[in-house]
Amino acid sequence: MDRLWTDFVNSDYHDWRGGDRSEDRLGNLNWQQGFLNRWQLSALIPASSEDELTMRHFRNELLALGSELSLGNVLTDKELDWLNSVMEAGRVSRRLISMDQKLKLQLVPAEANWTQVMAEVAADFAMTLVEGEGKRIRICDNSDCRWMFYDDTRSRTQKYCDDKMCGNLIKVRRFRAKRKVGSKE
């Protein structure tokens, strides 16, 4: 299941099949528009070069944090302060609305900019930690992929971001390597 924060951190694309192709999608206009549309967020497109630089720094910090959590480490006070500062930068107000004759509390962003978007990404990451477990954050076992994901399986044993893509690719590679060794004997 894609989450806002995984979609953001995985904007640093690497060819999961092992090719040389990689792409930092944060600067891609189509990626920016698609990301904002997919998560119903607003910001100016294209992002300014300062915003892109800030987003890259934020993404790298969030990747490092997720990597530490995937190893079973807990958040340090410094990391909590950093995550809180990112969330605090995105101000919201609350609005009570009626939808289908039911009341719903809605958080309304104070601004439509990339700082607000990063605050929403950080808040989604924080909700993942509050509602789940940091140890369930994983980095795909396919070393060519490098995608980060949340393991929501009951067994807590998910190794690949996608079993049909990365999982199948690694299984086929393992099978062919065994077959090759067997044919040399």
Side-chain angles (χ1 to χ4, degrees):
M1 168 178 75
D2 247 357
R3 298 188 64 112
L4 173 59
W5 70 267
T6 59
D7 196 9
F8 187 84
V9 298
N10 292 331
S11 62
D12 187 16
Y13 173 82
H14 299 274
D15 188 355
W16 57 276
R17 292 173 301 257
D20 292 336
R21 196 173 138 246
S22 65
E23 175 185 4
D24 182 352
R25 294 179 173 168
L26 282 178
N28 181 305
L29 300 176
N30 290 330
W31 183 88
Q32 290 174 11
Q33 187 65 61
F35 179 80
L36 294 174
N37 290 344
R38 203 167 26 260
W39 299 104
Q40 298 174 349
L41 299 169
S42 298
L44 287 176
I45 297 175
S48 70
S49 55
E50 295 88 22
D51 284 338
E52 279 186 42
L53 187 62
T54 303
M55 287 190 292
R56 280 189 187 89
H57 177 71
F58 170 68
R59 180 184 61 200
N60 292 343
E61 291 292 320
L62 202 56
L63 280 166
L65 194 58
S67 183
E68 285 296 312
L69 291 167
S70 75
L71 297 172
N73 298 328
V74 294
L75 292 177
T76 65
D77 288 340
K78 183 179 177 184
E79 292 165 335
L80 277 172
D81 289 344
W82 173 79
L83 197 54
N84 282 325
S85 71
V86 174
M87 289 188 290
E88 286 170 8
R91 306 261 181 233
V92 294
S93 62
R94 290 167 182 80
R95 181 177 292 145
L96 189 61
I97 60 170
S98 178
M99 287 182 69
D100 302 324
Q101 298 184 340
K102 291 183 182 180
L103 294 176
K104 182 180 176 184
L105 188 61
Q106 183 179 46
L107 296 178
V108 180
E111 297 182 70
N113 58 32
W114 288 102
T115 300
Q116 182 69 42
V117 169
M118 288 182 286
E120 295 301 323
V121 171
D124 187 59
F125 184 80
M127 285 304 298
T128 297
L129 300 179
V130 169
E131 295 171 350
E133 299 174 45
K135 291 183 282 191
R136 286 181 171 241
I137 294 173
R138 305 261 197 271
I139 298 171
C140 186
D141 269 7
N142 176 359
S143 60
D144 294 320
C145 176
R146 304 179 197 167
W147 270 27
M148 192 169 278
F149 64 95
Y150 185 81
D151 178 3
D152 58 1
T153 63
R154 288 180 83 189
S155 63
R156 301 177 185 190
T157 57
Q158 186 174 347
K159 293 181 173 199
Y160 305 104
C161 64
D162 188 317
D163 279 340
K164 291 178 181 72
M165 292 167 52
C166 288
N168 190 46
L169 177 74
I170 298 302
K171 289 173 191 170
V172 167
R173 284 181 182 169
R174 227 180 289 139
F175 172 78
R176 288 180 180 163
K178 284 181 185 177
R179 204 163 136 191
K180 189 175 184 178
V181 169
S183 68
K184 289 182 180 180
E185 295 173 6

